[in-house]
Amino acid sequence: MAEQLQRIIDDSANIVFFGGAGVSTESGIPDFRSTDGLYNQQYRFPPEMILSHSFYLRNPEEFYRFYRDKMLCLTARPNAAHYKLAELEQAKKLCAVVTQNIDGLHQMAGSRNVLELHGSVHRNYCMHCHKAYDARFMLESEGIPTCSCGGMVKPDVVLYEEGLDEHTVRASIQAIRSADLLIIGGTSLNVYPAAGLIDYFRGKYLVLINRSPTPADARADLVIQESIGEVLGTVKV
């Protein structure tokens, strides 16, 4: 399968990577939906409730307690998958990374054109004056993070009940639509509307790299159910 993947990449000139939580778990960031993920742990409230817009407004202190504990993994570092994607971009083979992750590891590895469907923990803003704050400020704050103006500081991440950023969605659709190879990695393709973006792909090759089956496996040219870091790490650019 590694040889087949290499041949497909060699034959492609406009690659887009669409990734999910499985790309980050290999860097030690917990996955919400895996067996050991946050959705299978016990909290006072279910994680999907805590990470909703209405809960955030109604109970911000509880939201931030969970957010600091489980969402701000600032010691995580990129893995082989992140670095290989950055290398492919530098070689002008890969034109975009479309990610559901909010950790910023693709940028840390050197990728430039990263389309973050669900936002980023590294961008935070005051809901009153819109002053920007970094992730370290959020991690080191106590209770409800507060701006110098007194306003509440909100992470620029898409919560349940919130819509995706329209500009990011449009750019992602354009990238996927124009790709000749779409590599889908580390995602179960169960999170919508993000997962629906792959339906815009009309290119030559569709490759899926995920440890478990996905709804798109049947239409893929190549399916690899292995570690995405190990698989992409073997690719020669």
Side-chain angles (χ1 to χ4, degrees), residues 6-51:
Q6 186 69 57
R7 284 196 299 271
I8 290 173
I9 289 176
D10 290 343
D11 190 45
S12 303
N14 193 353
I15 304 169
V16 168
F17 178 80
F18 181 93
V23 182
S24 294
T25 54
E26 295 184 25
S27 291
I29 293 178
D31 177 6
F32 280 83
R33 291 172 176 79
S34 68
T35 303
D36 299 318
L38 299 183
Y39 279 25
N40 290 278
Q41 298 178 22
Q42 295 299 315
Y43 293 94
R44 183 180 170 193
F45 301 97
E48 60 266 36
M49 180 186 293
I50 297 174
L51 296 174

Side-chain angles (χ1 to χ4, degrees), residues 17-24 29-33 71 82 97-107 114-121 156-158 160 164 168 172 176 183-198 210 214:
F17 178 80
F18 181 93
V23 182
S24 294
I29 293 178
D31 177 6
F32 280 83
R33 291 172 176 79
M71 307 297 288
H82 295 106
V97 170
V98 180
T99 181
Q100 299 173 80
N101 298 328
I102 60 175
D103 48 54
L105 292 182
H106 285 292
Q107 292 92 327
V114 182
L115 299 166
E116 296 170 309
L117 293 171
H118 295 152
S120 172
V121 299
D156 186 18
V157 299
V158 179
Y160 289 100
L164 303 184
T168 305
S172 300
I176 291 170
I183 301 175
I184 300 172
T187 173
S188 60
L189 294 176
N190 288 325
V191 178
Y192 283 82
L197 296 182
I198 69 167
N210 196 52
T214 80

Side-chain angles (χ1 to χ4, degrees), residues 55-159:
F55 187 94
Y56 170 77
L57 294 178
R58 186 174 64 249
N59 199 343
E61 194 154 354
E62 185 73 12
F63 170 90
Y64 281 112
R65 186 178 298 116
F66 178 89
Y67 182 78
R68 289 189 193 93
D69 187 35
K70 296 299 181 185
M71 307 297 288
L72 289 177
C73 304
L74 302 188
T75 58
R77 292 295 177 264
N79 59 57
H82 295 106
Y83 286 117
K84 186 60 65 175
L85 292 168
E87 191 179 345
L88 284 165
E89 183 187 48
Q90 289 159 10
K92 302 191 183 308
K93 294 276 286 181
L94 183 141
C95 67
V97 170
V98 180
T99 181
Q100 299 173 80
N101 298 328
I102 60 175
D103 48 54
L105 292 182
H106 285 292
Q107 292 92 327
M108 193 181 297
S111 289
R112 299 294 184 87
N113 190 21
V114 182
L115 299 166
E116 296 170 309
L117 293 171
H118 295 152
S120 172
V121 299
H122 296 283
R123 296 188 301 270
N124 306 274
Y125 63 93
C126 172
M127 296 180 71
H128 179 66
C129 73
H130 305 292
K131 181 179 178 180
Y133 289 88
D134 62 14
R136 179 61 57 183
F137 169 84
M138 302 297 281
L139 184 64
E140 295 176 354
S141 63
E142 296 180 0
I144 299 171
T146 305
C147 175
S148 54
C149 79
M152 186 161 60
V153 180
K154 183 182 186 295
D156 186 18
V157 299
V158 179
L159 303 178

